[in-house]
Amino acid sequence: SETDELNQKIADRLGQSGVAFIGTTVLKGIKLLRMCPINPRTDEDDLDRTMAKLEELGETLTGPPLN
């Protein structure tokens, strides 16, 4: 599906960016992004940077949100 393809692209591009690595998983037939921040050195700033990059990638691939 388009959602599956989008989530895979986001995961791939995030890894390529060097900001963070996230995986994907399939739940009820839908590919989802899966973040697993278990490294003890991961801090709130790391998570904030990751979320900001995810938002940037989502907008790059789909356009800005319709608010």
Side-chain angles (χ1 to χ4, degrees):
S1 77
E2 287 183 37
T3 301
D4 293 350
E5 291 176 21
L6 175 62
N7 283 337
Q8 188 62 60
K9 285 179 185 178
I10 290 171
D12 292 345
R13 290 186 185 189
L14 181 66
Q16 292 166 357
S17 76
V19 171
F21 173 80
I22 60 171
T24 59
T25 192
V26 176
L27 180 66
K28 296 185 180 183
I30 301 169
K31 186 176 284 192
L32 304 171
L33 299 174
R34 182 176 158 270
M35 190 163 152
C36 185
I38 62 171
N39 187 321
R41 294 179 295 197
T42 299
D43 61 22
E44 191 171 343
D45 289 339
D46 295 322
L47 298 176
D48 289 344
R49 276 191 300 278
T50 301
M51 295 306 295
K53 188 64 175 179
L54 286 169
E55 185 175 341
E56 175 190 317
L57 290 169
E59 288 183 6
T60 298
L61 293 168
T62 65
L66 301 173
N67 289 343

Coordinates of all heavy atoms in Angstrom, one line a residue:
S1 N 0.8 -1.2 0.0 CA 0.0 0.0 0.0 C 0.9 1.3 0.0 O 2.1 1.2 0.3 CB -0.9 0.0 1.2 OG -0.2 0.4 2.4
E2 N 0.3 2.4 -0.3 CA 1.0 3.7 -0.2 C 1.6 3.9 1.1 O 2.7 4.4 1.2 CB 0.1 4.8 -0.6 CG -0.3 4.8 -2.1 CD -1.1 6.1 -2.5 OE1 -0.9 7.1 -1.9 OE2 -2.0 5.9 -3.3
T3 N 0.8 3.6 2.2 CA 1.3 3.8 3.5 C 2.6 3.0 3.8 O 3.5 3.4 4.4 CB 0.2 3.5 4.6 OG1 -0.9 4.4 4.3 CG2 0.7 3.7 6.0
D4 N 2.5 1.7 3.4 CA 3.6 0.8 3.6 C 4.9 1.4 2.9 O 6.0 1.4 3.5 CB 3.3 -0.6 3.0 CG 2.3 -1.3 3.8 OD1 1.9 -0.9 4.9 OD2 1.8 -2.4 3.3
E5 N 4.7 1.8 1.6 CA 5.8 2.3 0.9 C 6.4 3.6 1.5 O 7.6 3.8 1.6 CB 5.4 2.6 -0.6 CG 5.1 1.3 -1.4 CD 4.6 1.6 -2.8 OE1 4.8 2.8 -3.3 OE2 4.0 0.7 -3.3
L6 N 5.5 4.5 2.0 CA 5.9 5.7 2.6 C 6.7 5.4 3.9 O 7.8 6.0 4.1 CB 4.7 6.6 2.9 CG 5.0 7.9 3.7 CD1 5.9 8.8 2.9 CD2 3.7 8.6 4.1
N7 N 6.2 4.6 4.7 CA 6.9 4.3 6.0 C 8.2 3.6 5.7 O 9.2 3.9 6.4 CB 6.0 3.4 6.9 CG 4.9 4.2 7.6 OD1 5.0 5.4 7.7 ND2 3.9 3.5 8.0
Q8 N 8.4 2.8 4.7 CA 9.7 2.2 4.3 C 10.6 3.3 3.9 O 11.8 3.3 4.3 CB 9.5 1.1 3.3 CG 10.8 0.3 3.1 CD 11.3 -0.4 4.3 OE1 10.6 -1.2 4.8 NE2 12.5 0.0 4.8
K9 N 10.1 4.2 3.0 CA 11.0 5.3 2.6 C 11.5 6.2 3.7 O 12.6 6.6 3.8 CB 10.2 6.2 1.5 CG 10.1 5.5 0.2 CD 9.3 6.5 -0.7 CE 9.0 5.8 -2.1 NZ 8.2 6.6 -3.0
I10 N 10.6 6.5 4.6 CA 10.9 7.3 5.8 C 12.0 6.6 6.6 O 13.0 7.2 7.0 CB 9.7 7.6 6.6 CG1 8.8 8.6 5.9 CG2 10.1 8.2 8.0 CD1 7.5 8.9 6.6
A11 N 11.8 5.3 6.9 CA 12.8 4.5 7.7 C 14.2 4.5 7.0 O 15.2 4.7 7.6 CB 12.3 3.1 7.9
D12 N 14.1 4.3 5.7 CA 15.4 4.2 4.9 C 16.1 5.6 4.9 O 17.3 5.6 5.2 CB 15.1 3.8 3.4 CG 14.6 2.4 3.3 OD1 14.8 1.6 4.3 OD2 14.1 2.0 2.2
R13 N 15.4 6.6 4.7 CA 16.0 8.0 4.6 C 16.5 8.4 6.0 O 17.5 9.1 6.0 CB 15.0 9.0 4.0 CG 14.8 8.7 2.5 CD 14.0 9.7 1.8 NE 13.8 9.4 0.4 CZ 13.2 10.2 -0.5 NH1 12.9 11.4 -0.1 NH2 13.0 9.8 -1.7
L14 N 15.7 8.1 7.0 CA 16.2 8.4 8.3 C 17.6 7.8 8.6 O 18.5 8.4 9.1 CB 15.2 8.1 9.4 CG 15.6 8.4 10.8 CD1 15.6 9.9 11.0 CD2 14.6 7.8 11.8
G15 N 17.7 6.5 8.3 CA 18.9 5.8 8.5 C 20.1 6.4 7.7 O 21.2 6.6 8.1
Q16 N 19.7 6.8 6.4 CA 20.7 7.4 5.5 C 21.2 8.7 6.0 O 22.3 9.2 5.8 CB 20.2 7.5 4.1 CG 20.0 6.1 3.4 CD 19.1 6.2 2.2 OE1 18.6 7.3 1.8 NE2 19.0 5.1 1.5
S17 N 20.3 9.4 6.7 CA 20.6 10.8 7.2 C 21.7 10.8 8.3 O 22.3 11.8 8.6 CB 19.3 11.5 7.7 OG 19.0 11.0 9.0
G18 N 21.8 9.6 9.0 CA 22.7 9.5 10.2 C 22.1 10.1 11.5 O 22.8 10.0 12.5
V19 N 20.9 10.6 11.5 CA 20.3 11.1 12.7 C 19.9 10.0 13.6 O 20.2 10.1 14.8 CB 19.1 12.0 12.3 CG1 18.3 12.3 13.6 CG2 19.5 13.2 11.6
A20 N 19.3 8.9 13.1 CA 18.9 7.8 13.9 C 18.6 6.6 13.0 O 18.6 6.8 11.8 CB 17.7 8.2 14.7
F21 N 18.3 5.5 13.6 CA 17.9 4.3 12.9 C 16.6 3.9 13.5 O 16.5 3.8 14.7 CB 18.9 3.2 12.9 CG 18.4 1.9 12.3 CD1 18.4 1.8 10.9 CD2 17.9 0.9 13.1 CE1 17.9 0.6 10.4 CE2 17.3 -0.2 12.5 CZ 17.4 -0.4 11.2
I22 N 15.6 3.7 12.6 CA 14.4 3.0 13.1 C 14.1 1.9 12.2 O 14.4 1.9 11.0 CB 13.2 4.0 13.2 CG1 12.8 4.6 11.9 CG2 13.4 5.1 14.2 CD1 11.6 5.4 11.8
G23 N 13.4 0.9 12.7 CA 13.0 -0.2 11.9 C 11.5 -0.1 11.5 O 10.8 0.9 11.8
T24 N 11.0 -1.1 10.8 CA 9.6 -1.2 10.5 C 9.1 -2.5 11.0 O 9.9 -3.4 11.3 CB 9.3 -1.1 9.0 OG1 10.0 -2.1 8.3 CG2 9.8 0.3 8.4
T25 N 7.8 -2.6 11.2 CA 7.2 -3.8 11.6 C 5.8 -3.8 11.0 O 5.3 -2.8 10.5 CB 7.1 -3.9 13.2 OG1 6.7 -5.2 13.5 CG2 6.1 -2.9 13.7
V26 N 5.2 -5.0 10.9 CA 3.9 -5.1 10.3 C 2.9 -5.5 11.4 O 3.1 -6.5 12.1 CB 3.9 -6.1 9.2 CG1 2.4 -6.3 8.6 CG2 4.8 -5.7 8.0
L27 N 1.9 -4.7 11.5 CA 0.8 -4.9 12.5 C -0.5 -4.9 11.8 O -0.8 -3.9 11.2 CB 0.9 -3.9 13.6 CG -0.1 -4.0 14.8 CD1 0.1 -5.2 15.6 CD2 0.0 -2.7 15.7
K28 N -1.2 -6.0 11.9 CA -2.5 -6.1 11.2 C -2.4 -5.7 9.8 O -3.3 -5.1 9.2 CB -3.6 -5.2 12.0 CG -3.8 -5.7 13.4 CD -4.9 -5.0 14.0 CE -5.1 -5.5 15.5 NZ -6.2 -4.8 16.1
G29 N -1.3 -6.2 9.1 CA -1.2 -6.0 7.7 C -0.7 -4.6 7.3 O -0.6 -4.4 6.1
I30 N -0.3 -3.7 8.2 CA 0.1 -2.4 7.9 C 1.6 -2.2 8.3 O 1.9 -2.5 9.5 CB -0.8 -1.3 8.5 CG1 -2.2 -1.5 8.1 CG2 -0.2 0.1 8.2 CD1 -3.2 -0.6 8.9
K31 N 2.4 -1.8 7.5 CA 3.8 -1.5 7.8 C 3.9 -0.2 8.6 O 3.4 0.8 8.2 CB 4.7 -1.4 6.6 CG 6.2 -1.3 6.9 CD 7.1 -1.3 5.7 CE 7.2 -2.7 5.2 NZ 8.3 -2.8 4.2
L32 N 4.5 -0.3 9.8 CA 4.6 0.8 10.7 C 6.0 1.1 11.0 O 6.9 0.2 10.9 CB 3.9 0.5 12.0 CG 2.4 0.1 11.9 CD1 1.9 -0.3 13.3 CD2 1.6 1.3 11.4
L33 N 6.3 2.3 11.4 CA 7.7 2.7 11.9 C 7.8 2.2 13.3 O 6.9 2.3 14.1 CB 7.8 4.2 11.8 CG 7.7 4.8 10.4 CD1 7.8 6.3 10.5 CD2 8.8 4.3 9.5
R34 N 9.0 1.7 13.7 CA 9.2 1.1 15.0 C 10.5 1.7 15.6 O 11.6 1.4 15.0 CB 9.3 -0.4 14.9 CG 9.5 -1.1 16.2 CD 9.5 -2.6 16.0 NE 10.1 -3.2 17.1 CZ 11.4 -3.5 17.2 NH1 12.2 -3.2 16.2 NH2 12.0 -4.0 18.2
M35 N 10.4 2.5 16.6 CA 11.5 3.1 17.2 C 11.8 2.3 18.6 O 10.9 2.1 19.3 CB 11.2 4.6 17.5 CG 12.3 5.4 18.0 SD 11.8 7.1 17.7 CE 12.6 7.9 18.9
C36 N 13.0 2.0 18.8 CA 13.4 1.2 20.0 C 14.6 1.9 20.6 O 15.7 1.4 20.4 CB 13.6 -0.2 19.6 SG 13.9 -1.3 21.0
P37 N 14.4 2.9 21.4 CA 15.6 3.7 22.0 C 16.1 3.1 23.3 O 15.9 3.6 24.3 CB 15.0 5.1 22.2 CG 13.5 4.8 22.5 CD 13.2 3.6 21.7
I38 N 16.7 1.9 23.1 CA 17.2 1.2 24.3 C 18.6 1.5 24.7 O 19.1 1.1 25.8 CB 17.0 -0.3 24.2 CG1 17.8 -0.9 23.0 CG2 15.5 -0.7 24.0 CD1 17.9 -2.4 23.0
N39 N 19.3 2.2 23.9 CA 20.7 2.6 24.2 C 20.7 3.5 25.4 O 20.0 4.5 25.4 CB 21.4 3.3 23.0 CG 22.8 3.6 23.2 OD1 23.3 3.9 24.3 ND2 23.6 3.4 22.2
P40 N 21.4 3.1 26.5 CA 21.4 4.0 27.7 C 21.9 5.4 27.5 O 21.7 6.3 28.3 CB 22.3 3.2 28.7 CG 23.0 2.2 27.9 CD 22.3 2.0 26.6
R41 N 22.7 5.6 26.4 CA 23.1 7.0 26.1 C 22.1 7.8 25.3 O 22.3 9.0 25.1 CB 24.4 6.9 25.3 CG 25.6 6.3 26.1 CD 26.8 6.2 25.3 NE 26.6 5.3 24.2 CZ 27.6 4.7 23.5 NH1 28.8 5.0 23.7 NH2 27.3 3.9 22.5
T42 N 21.0 7.2 24.9 CA 20.0 8.0 24.2 C 19.3 8.9 25.3 O 18.9 8.5 26.4 CB 18.9 7.0 23.7 OG1 19.5 6.2 22.7 CG2 17.8 7.8 23.0
D43 N 19.2 10.2 24.9 CA 18.6 11.2 25.8 C 17.5 11.9 25.1 O 17.2 11.6 23.9 CB 19.7 12.1 26.4 CG 20.4 13.0 25.3 OD1 19.8 13.1 24.2 OD2 21.4 13.5 25.6
E44 N 16.9 12.8 25.8 CA 15.7 13.5 25.3 C 16.0 14.3 24.0 O 15.2 14.4 23.1 CB 15.1 14.4 26.4 CG 13.8 15.0 26.0 CD 13.1 15.7 27.2 OE1 13.5 15.6 28.3 OE2 12.2 16.5 26.9
D45 N 17.2 14.9 24.0 CA 17.6 15.6 22.8 C 17.7 14.7 21.6 O 17.3 15.1 20.5 CB 19.0 16.3 23.0 CG 18.9 17.5 23.9 OD1 17.8 18.0 24.1 OD2 19.9 17.8 24.5
D46 N 18.2 13.5 21.8 CA 18.2 12.5 20.6 C 16.8 12.2 20.1 O 16.6 12.1 18.9 CB 18.9 11.2 21.1 CG 20.3 11.3 21.5 OD1 21.1 12.1 20.8 OD2 20.8 10.7 22.5
L47 N 15.9 12.0 21.1 CA 14.5 11.7 20.7 C 13.9 12.9 20.0 O 13.2 12.7 19.0 CB 13.7 11.3 21.9 CG 14.2 10.0 22.6 CD1 13.4 9.8 23.8 CD2 14.2 8.8 21.7
D48 N 14.2 14.1 20.5 CA 13.6 15.3 19.8 C 14.2 15.5 18.4 O 13.4 15.8 17.5 CB 14.0 16.6 20.6 CG 13.2 16.7 21.9 OD1 12.2 16.0 22.1 OD2 13.6 17.4 22.8
R49 N 15.5 15.2 18.2 CA 16.1 15.3 16.9 C 15.5 14.3 15.9 O 15.2 14.5 14.8 CB 17.6 15.1 16.9 CG 18.4 16.4 17.3 CD 19.9 16.2 17.1 NE 20.4 15.2 17.9 CZ 20.8 15.3 19.2 NH1 20.6 16.5 19.8 NH2 21.3 14.3 19.8
T50 N 15.3 13.1 16.5 CA 14.7 12.0 15.7 C 13.3 12.4 15.2 O 12.9 12.2 14.0 CB 14.7 10.7 16.4 OG1 16.0 10.4 16.8 CG2 14.1 9.6 15.6
M51 N 12.5 12.9 16.2 CA 11.1 13.2 15.8 C 11.0 14.4 14.8 O 10.2 14.4 13.9 CB 10.3 13.6 17.1 CG 10.1 12.4 18.0 SD 9.4 10.9 17.3 CE 7.8 11.5 16.9
A52 N 11.9 15.4 15.0 CA 12.0 16.5 14.0 C 12.4 16.0 12.6 O 11.8 16.4 11.6 CB 13.0 17.5 14.5
K53 N 13.3 15.1 12.6 CA 13.7 14.6 11.3 C 12.6 13.7 10.6 O 12.4 13.8 9.4 CB 15.0 13.7 11.4 CG 15.6 13.3 10.1 CD 16.1 14.5 9.3 CE 16.8 14.1 8.0 NZ 17.2 15.2 7.2
L54 N 11.9 12.9 11.5 CA 10.8 12.2 10.9 C 9.7 13.1 10.3 O 9.2 12.9 9.3 CB 10.1 11.3 12.0 CG 10.9 10.1 12.5 CD1 10.3 9.5 13.7 CD2 11.0 9.1 11.3
E55 N 9.4 14.2 11.0 CA 8.5 15.2 10.5 C 8.9 15.8 9.2 O 8.2 15.9 8.3 CB 8.2 16.3 11.6 CG 7.1 17.2 11.2 CD 6.8 18.2 12.3 OE1 7.2 18.0 13.5 OE2 6.2 19.3 11.9
E56 N 10.2 16.2 9.2 CA 10.8 16.7 8.0 C 10.7 15.8 6.8 O 10.3 16.1 5.7 CB 12.3 17.1 8.2 CG 13.0 17.6 7.0 CD 14.5 17.7 7.3 OE1 14.9 18.2 8.4 OE2 15.3 17.3 6.4
L57 N 11.1 14.5 7.0 CA 11.0 13.5 6.0 C 9.6 13.3 5.5 O 9.3 13.2 4.3 CB 11.6 12.2 6.4 CG 13.1 12.2 6.6 CD1 13.6 11.0 7.4 CD2 13.8 12.4 5.3
G58 N 8.6 13.2 6.5 CA 7.2 13.1 6.1 C 6.7 14.2 5.2 O 6.1 14.0 4.2
E59 N 7.1 15.4 5.6 CA 6.7 16.6 4.8 C 7.4 16.6 3.4 O 6.8 17.0 2.4 CB 6.9 17.9 5.5 CG 6.0 18.1 6.7 CD 6.2 19.4 7.4 OE1 7.0 20.3 6.9 OE2 5.5 19.6 8.4
T60 N 8.6 16.2 3.4 CA 9.3 16.1 2.1 C 8.7 15.1 1.1 O 8.6 15.4 0.0 CB 10.8 15.7 2.3 OG1 11.4 16.7 3.1 CG2 11.6 15.6 1.0
L61 N 8.3 14.0 1.7 CA 7.7 13.0 0.8 C 6.2 13.1 0.5 O 5.7 12.6 -0.5 CB 7.9 11.6 1.5 CG 9.4 11.2 1.6 CD1 9.5 10.0 2.5 CD2 9.9 10.8 0.2
T62 N 5.5 13.9 1.4 CA 4.0 14.0 1.2 C 3.5 15.4 1.1 O 2.4 15.6 0.7 CB 3.3 13.3 2.3 OG1 3.5 14.0 3.5 CG2 3.7 11.8 2.5
G63 N 4.3 16.4 1.5 CA 3.8 17.8 1.5 C 3.5 18.1 3.0 O 3.4 17.2 3.8
P64 N 3.3 19.4 3.2 CA 3.0 19.8 4.6 C 1.6 19.3 5.0 O 0.7 19.1 4.2 CB 3.0 21.4 4.5 CG 2.8 21.7 3.1 CD 3.4 20.5 2.3
P65 N 1.4 19.2 6.4 CA 0.1 18.7 6.8 C -1.0 19.7 6.5 O -0.8 20.9 6.4 CB 0.3 18.6 8.4 CG 1.5 19.4 8.7 CD 2.3 19.5 7.4
L66 N -2.2 19.2 6.4 CA -3.4 20.0 6.1 C -4.1 20.5 7.4 O -4.9 19.8 7.9 CB -4.4 19.3 5.2 CG -3.9 18.8 3.8 CD1 -4.9 17.9 3.2 CD2 -3.5 19.9 3.0
N67 N -3.7 21.6 7.9 CA -4.3 22.1 9.2 C -5.2 23.2 8.9 O -5.2 24.1 8.2 CB -3.2 22.6 10.1 CG -2.4 21.4 10.7 OD1 -2.8 20.3 10.6 ND2 -1.2 21.7 11.2

